[in-house]
Amino acid sequence: MQASDHPETSHAAGPTEPPLIEKPIGAVLTETAAAHGDRDALVEVATGRRWTWAELRTAVDEVAAGLLAAGIRKGDRVAIWAPNCAEWALVQFATATVGAILVTVNPAYRTHELRYVLGQSTARLVVATPSAGSSDYAAMLAAVAPEVPTLERTVFIGTDSWTEFVDAGRSVDADEVTGAREATAATDPINIQYTSGTTGSPKGATLSHRNILNNGYFVGELCGYTEMDRVCIPVPFYHCFGMVMGNLACVTHGSTMVIPAPAFDPGATLDAVAAERCTSLYGVPTMFIAELGHERFGDVDLSSLRTGIMAGSPCPMEIMKQVIDRMGMSEVSIAYGMTETSPVSLQTRVDDPVEKRVSTVGRVGPHLEVAIVDPATGERVARGEPGELCTRGYSVMLGYWDNPEMTAEAIDPDGWMHTGDIGVMDTDGYVAVTGRIKDMVIRGGENIYPREIEEFLYRHPDILDAQVVGIPDAKYGEELVACLRLRPGADEITAESLREFCREGLARYKIPRYVQILDEFPMTVTGKVRKVELRERATQAVGVTRPSSAG
């Protein structure tokens, strides 16, 4: 049942069945291992290592014992800094087992960011790989450790220090691990994820067992997961997409976690789907674009795919259609959320019409509410009108770690998390996210939402990827720049030829004044385009803008 939709205003509440899971992560892992002990739980394709659920539970308890032997207790902060690997998942579940709070560190962080998050979270122990890509993690940790007074120990995966760390746990009685698991409560904080804004230091979104376990569970429910599903997870574990929508969705359903590679590689992802007969594939739109454009795409057997999730940034309609038609993901789901809401608050259903799945981010999830409000007044807007998307319910974070002021700015007194995203709710409760409030361009007094223009530009046969940003303009306040990646062998696109293409489909004030052709877009490690950097580059490239004649 749909609990309480308000047909006139932009508010909707999700169904209240099935009930919320009121257990901590360790208890659910134990139940899953008992129910599906001999089935695959975790596969690391790059090394060929694999664990059944029974083996995974044993391995997790060994790492949990290692944490206890190291003096880690409930509420202590343990950081992990590594690309995707099996040990990442083991540490995730082991910290949950002993009640420690896992601090997930972005693999792309440099020394100053690392110093900040370890210090701000007062981490006692760090688990890391010695290096990742071109980054020397060991050297960076050695540099910052003296400046983090609480940091007592660093354990490096794949080295003697990891072996010693696990071996030390053999002196811990199994009853002590069981006691620690039973002493954790569903409402305890279990994870700090640092979200970086465009200004200021990262904020540590603090999440509970209840927050993330239920979110993983309901994401899996809406994808129709069972113990027969095998989920390919190329998105990073340090982010909610990997560790919650991936790992915890699998734990709550007995599905298999498949790690295709330490970092995203389109060929390795396609190969993992084929080799492991994955039924579900995750990714942000840029990942799916890379897979669809891979030179071996047509040679890889993807016939096992049924579903998957595209999330992390708005999905171009044309890409969604290709994922359904060319990759065979007929039940692919679009999900929307943010770290502060564990993350998913809106998701399409497998039986939604394709039109809804390519034009919206779905409807509100179970046990949650969403509303769209006027950013200036806080009043709910009418359906069909744009406003700020807000979420309320079990998924809203406990707060920003040790930052009550920022928490109060994000979560209002009625418990609504203000996302900063612009949304529009239709009469059926489906929500389209049209951009960030901060990305909205105001040109000559007109509010312009870049997403609408980007969707139109994807229709151009020579455009592979499109991002639209606003830059300062002396006459109009802001002017539009279309940043484009072209298909191989495409004809040149000029500002004038693009304007000609746009004239048939866009109002004059929405037509980009400038065009920038780029080989690659600046990206975050999670695969999101860094629009702030695109805006800065475009502003520099155009220089001091002269009064524009377009319009």
Side-chain angles (χ1 to χ4, degrees), residues 99-436:
I101 299 174
L102 184 68
V103 180
T104 56
V105 183
N106 186 327
Y109 273 178
R110 310 308 297 167
T111 305
H112 69 283
E113 297 157 315
L114 177 67
R115 181 187 302 112
Y116 176 81
V117 299
L118 295 181
Q120 205 271 338
S121 65
T122 58
R124 289 186 58 199
L125 186 148
V126 176
V127 178
T129 47
S131 62
S134 60
S135 296
D136 187 341
Y137 285 2
M140 284 190 269
L141 280 163
V144 305
E147 302 172 53
V148 183
T150 58
L151 187 58
E152 300 166 4
R153 183 175 178 184
T154 300
V155 176
F156 287 108
I157 294 167
T159 71
D160 289 344
S161 70
W162 174 264
T163 304
E164 291 163 6
F165 164 71
V166 176
D167 284 348
R170 303 192 195 286
S171 65
V172 174
D173 192 279
D175 289 344
E176 193 175 342
V177 176
T178 301
R181 179 166 38 238
E182 292 175 351
T184 60
T187 52
D188 287 340
I190 198 60
N191 184 212
I192 301 174
Q193 297 207 19
Y194 281 87
T195 65
S196 29
T198 53
T199 58
S201 298
K203 303 184 294 291
T206 307
L207 304 168
S208 68
H209 293 261
R210 189 174 189 264
N211 286 149
I212 61 177
L213 188 65
N214 278 290
N215 207 262
Y217 171 64
F218 286 116
V219 164
E221 284 290 286
L222 295 184
C223 286
Y225 286 165
T226 71
E227 69 275 11
M228 303 300 290
D229 281 290
R230 302 173 69 83
V231 184
C232 184
I233 310 172
V235 292
F237 284 165
Y238 94 89
H239 188 270
C240 271
F241 200 169
M243 68 169 289
V244 177
M245 298 160 69
N247 294 352
L248 292 181
C250 289
V251 167
T252 52
H253 291 85
S255 309
T256 306
M257 300 166 270
V258 177
I259 306 172
F264 175 65
D265 178 293
T269 301
L270 293 170
D271 291 341
V273 169
E276 294 297 328
R277 305 303 294 157
C278 293
T279 59
S280 176
L281 172 62
Y282 287 5
V284 298
T286 52
M287 291 180 174
F288 283 103
I289 290 169
E291 290 153 9
L292 288 160
H294 194 270
E295 59 185 9
R296 291 192 293 106
F297 177 82
D299 301 325
V300 180
D301 180 6
L302 305 179
S303 61
S304 58
L305 284 174
R306 168 183 66 83
T307 186
I309 297 175
M310 197 184 305
S313 56
C315 169
M317 291 186 198
E318 291 304 315
I319 302 306
M320 181 66 162
K321 290 174 182 174
Q322 289 188 51
V323 166
I324 292 171
D325 295 339
R326 297 178 60 204
M327 300 183 84
M329 294 168 60
S330 60
E331 297 180 12
V332 65
S333 181
I334 293 285
Y336 163 85
M338 62 192 306
T339 303
E340 290 88 339
T341 56
S342 302
V344 174
S345 50
L346 292 147
Q347 188 175 346
T348 60
R349 276 53 166 178
V350 295
D351 56 351
D352 279 341
V354 172
E355 184 272 327
K356 293 292 189 186
R357 285 191 277 157
V358 298
S359 62
T360 77
V361 292
R363 290 171 285 155
V364 63
H367 300 275
L368 296 174
E369 292 176 86
V370 293
I372 296 173
V373 304
D374 184 317
T377 66
E379 296 295 317
R380 290 175 186 168
V381 301
R383 294 210 177 190
E385 294 295 319
E388 183 179 20
L389 178 58
C390 299
T391 301
R392 183 167 67 177
Y394 77 84
S395 70
V396 175
M397 65 175 178
L398 300 178
Y400 292 118
W401 182 261
D402 198 23
N403 198 335
E405 295 83 9
M406 293 299 295
T407 301
E409 286 182 26
I411 304 172
D412 68 26
D414 293 323
W416 289 97
M417 177 74 208
H418 289 252
T419 68
D421 284 323
I422 301 164
V424 180
M425 183 182 293
D426 69 16
T427 53
D428 297 317
Y430 291 88
V431 174
V433 175
T434 56
R436 296 285 290 167

